Amino acid sequence: MKYFIIVNGENQGPFEASELVNYGLTADSYVWCEGMPEWKHASEVAEVAAFIRPAFPPIPDTPTPPPAPAPKPAPTPTPAVNAECKFFNWLPLAIVATVLGTIFYLVGSIPGSIAILKAIQARRMYSQGYIEQAMQCNRVAMILTLVGAGVGLTAIIIIAALAA
């Protein structure tokens, strides 16, 4: 069916219902087709209303930003009091292994130095109540301490064997 539309006070057409969009069709636009007794708003004519673009709300002068998100709560540390958990910090042994590794063989100081840092980190985490993370750092400190001590002892044995 062909429709007429009023644009700027003048009737235009005839057009297919889908073409009316090109002429600024809104819900308040007046349209008419053969068989209608009078002009009607486009929103009142079912075939034409299907092509009406939704009206957008007016943009406010000063937009209001959405509310800020609530801050995330800090993780709760695990209580440090645990009768079954004995915490052995590898810091003193890491220092000894580093000294031995440095004196007898330079490579031994590398794992020992890293072990010292991990042991310090483990002590700090444990005192703050982060038990699981402290235990992980402590395991790394233990392994590196043993590696550093092993390198240092190996160097002592090799030097003693060469001196004899």
Side-chain angles (χ1 to χ4, degrees), residues 1 14 50 72 78 89 97 99-100 134 138 150 155:
M1 191 170 281
K72 292 181 182 177
T78 309
N89 191 273
V99 171
L100 284 176
N138 217 26

Side-chain angles (χ1 to χ4, degrees), residues 104-124:
F104 296 106
Y105 196 73
L106 186 58
V107 175
S109 67
I110 295 170
S113 299
I114 297 171
I116 290 172
L117 295 174
K118 283 295 182 181
I120 291 170
Q121 185 180 16
R123 180 189 291 172
R124 184 176 59 241

Side-chain angles (χ1 to χ4, degrees), residues 60-74:
D61 292 337
T62 54
T64 306
K72 292 181 182 177

